[in-house]
Amino acid sequence: DAKTTQPNSMESNEEEPVHLPCNHSTISGTDYIHWYRQLPSQGPEYVIHGLTSNVNNRMASLAIAEDRKSSTLILHRATLRDAAVYYCILRDPLGDSNYQLIWGAGTKLIIKP
Amino acid sequence: DTAVSQTPKYLVTQMGNDKSIKCEQNLGHDTMYWYKQDSKKFLKIMFSYNNKELIINETVPNRFSPKSPDKAHLNLHINSLELGDSAVYFCASSPGKKALSYNEQFFGPGTRLTVL
């Protein structure tokens, strides 16, 4: 089962910032937090990942709570092309340095023009 | 250039048939994966594989088998197709010789399988 909880859906206006929350209260000290998104009829696309510190890349920013039990994906200026399902996932250890991602239902982000 | 490609994009077939889905990646990655996304949109890992190690999700029926002719290809063969196999199947790849050791995965566009 997925170890994260996210709202089913969120709406935002175009060209405004979007904050997508994720709770992961059972996170362990070595679990990385991953975000992927899936645009309609496409494969998932990596967005960002982090462990403890906040992270920035060209797509988004990831803000991680100090206790690591929650995180927020920040899209600084949403466009219509950002409409997608956003997944917050913890990397799950399988042993022998192998990992897997246990995917939940994600948050469907709706962008209003 | 497409990083991870899959063929076919759509596959419609009858129950009981055997079919294969092909996947190729040109990223030079060592590890490849197959995922199944069901009608409720949940994405579930089926296999992760590099040329030395196959990690199988125990919930996957043994009718499903990954076949890798070389490091850049991981095909999914399905025997005796059932109605419940209808889903979208995604191939993915990642760097490193262990599954998700470098965190980022690259996904293909998906193959929509419909079993009648």
Side-chain angles (χ1 to χ4, degrees):
Chain A
D1 289 347
K3 298 179 181 178
T4 62
T5 55
Q6 301 176 253
N8 289 334
S9 65
M10 290 183 64
E11 287 189 1
S12 181
N13 294 319
E14 193 177 12
E15 299 189 5
E16 290 185 357
V18 179
H19 288 67
L20 296 165
C22 179
N23 287 319
H24 28 78
S25 57
T26 60
I27 192 169
S28 71
T30 56
D31 284 344
Y32 276 82
I33 302 158
H34 292 246
W35 284 82
Y36 280 76
R37 71 180 185 180
Q38 188 172 19
L39 279 64
S41 300
Q42 294 189 28
E45 175 187 27
Y46 168 83
V47 178
I48 201 166
H49 75 274
L51 183 62
T52 56
S53 303
N54 294 345
V55 185
N56 300 296
N57 66 21
R58 63 174 181 83
M59 289 183 70
S61 296
L62 177 60
I64 301 172
E66 197 169 334
D67 64 5
R68 301 208 327 122
K69 293 185 177 182
S70 65
S71 61
T72 303
L73 182 72
I74 303 165
L75 307 179
H76 295 287
R77 196 161 163 264
T79 69
L80 295 177
R81 290 184 298 176
D82 291 320
V85 178
Y86 285 78
Y87 296 94
C88 169
I89 314 160
L90 299 185
R91 193 179 68 162
D92 189 47
L94 290 171
D96 193 25
S97 302
N98 288 298
Y99 299 87
Q100 64 177 351
L101 300 180
I102 308 295
W103 299 65
T107 297
K108 183 175 182 179
L109 177 62
I110 299 165
I111 304 296
K112 296 182 289 184
Chain B
D1 283 347
T2 303
V4 182
S5 59
Q6 296 178 227
T7 54
K9 188 170 176 65
Y10 300 96
L11 181 55
V12 181
T13 187
Q14 300 288 330
M15 264 197 314
N17 285 347
D18 301 339
K19 289 293 179 185
S20 291
I21 304 172
K22 295 185 177 181
C23 176
E24 177 181 3
Q25 54 95 5
N26 63 8
L27 298 166
H29 289 166
D30 290 303
T31 304
M32 297 182 71
Y33 311 80
W34 277 105
Y35 285 85
K36 177 181 180 180
Q37 188 169 41
D38 60 23
S39 57
K40 295 183 179 179
K41 302 296 185 182
F42 283 95
L43 204 64
K44 295 182 181 178
I45 182 73
M46 300 176 70
F47 305 101
S48 58
Y49 185 86
N50 67 28
N51 60 0
K52 295 179 182 178
E53 187 175 18
L54 171 64
I55 301 171
I56 301 172
N57 184 315
E58 294 179 357
T59 65
V60 176
N62 57 16
R63 298 181 295 105
F64 291 79
S65 57
K67 297 187 189 302
S68 180
D70 56 57
K71 195 177 91 164
H73 296 83
L74 183 66
N75 303 326
L76 182 65
H77 190 74
I78 315 169
N79 290 327
S80 303
L81 278 155
E82 300 177 358
L83 293 176
D85 297 333
S86 295
V88 181
Y89 292 84
F90 290 100
C91 176
S93 71
S94 67
K97 295 191 183 298
K98 295 290 186 178
L100 285 173
S101 57
Y102 287 92
N103 284 297
E104 185 176 350
Q105 279 185 314
F106 295 80
F107 283 81
T111 296
R112 181 174 293 277
L113 171 64
T114 302
V115 183
L116 304 175

